[in-house]
Amino acid sequence: FYTQWSARGGITALGPATGAETAIASQTGLTATGQEFLNGVLYSMTSGAFTGRVFAVTGRIFRLYREQGLHTGSLGLPLSEELNAGGGRIRQTFEGGSVEYTATTDPVVRPVVGSVSLNVSVS
C-alpha cells in the first residue's frame, strides 16, 4: 500500500492512515485488502476479474462513499478509478452502482439497474 499511497500523492493527497490493512469480503463475494486514510481509501483486489488491481476512492466521491458505509454499504467495492464520463461528468463504478458528479453538482449514487422489462402489445 505504501507504493500506491505514495504514487497517489501520499500525505498531501490521501493523508495519514486511519486504520490498518484489512482483509475484506464484499456482499457479492469479491475479496480485497483495504486501507483507509484521512482523505481516501485504497483497495487491492484479491479475487474476481480485477485481481491484482488497486483502486483508490478519493475526493468528493470518497466523502459520499464513506457516508454510504464504504465497502460494507450498498455500493460495495470499487471496480474502476474515477473516469471522465463526458459532458463534464466524473464517474467511479462500484459493485452496486456508480457515483457521478460534475464541477457544479454534488456526487450522487446511481444504483445498478437490476433488470429491464419490455411489454410489447400488438394491435
Side-chain angles (χ1 to χ4, degrees):
F1 277 91
Y2 178 77
T3 302
Q4 290 293 325
W5 176 80
S6 294
R8 296 165 193 272
I11 199 75
T12 59
L14 285 170
T18 59
E21 292 179 24
T22 305
I24 294 161
S26 76
Q27 296 171 2
T28 66
L30 284 180
T31 60
T33 302
Q35 186 166 21
E36 190 174 347
F37 300 87
L38 184 62
N39 301 314
V41 62
L42 294 175
Y43 293 104
S44 176
M45 307 304 286
T46 56
S47 73
F50 297 107
T51 299
R53 297 273 312 267
V54 176
F55 297 117
V57 183
T58 61
R60 294 170 64 188
I61 291 179
F62 173 65
R63 289 188 287 279
L64 179 60
Y65 186 55
R66 186 175 48 206
E67 290 171 9
Q68 297 286 318
L70 299 171
H71 58 274
T72 63
S74 63
L75 286 168
L77 288 166
L79 301 177
S80 76
E81 295 288 343
E82 282 190 22
L83 304 169
N84 183 335
R89 295 173 297 141
I90 303 296
R91 178 184 303 137
Q92 187 163 11
T93 303
F94 297 83
E95 294 175 282
S98 62
V99 175
E100 188 174 284
Y101 70 94
T102 68
T104 59
T105 63
D106 289 332
V108 295
V109 174
R110 304 235 185 259
V112 169
V113 175
S115 66
V116 176
S117 177
L118 295 175
N119 186 2
V120 179
S121 27
V122 179
S123 305

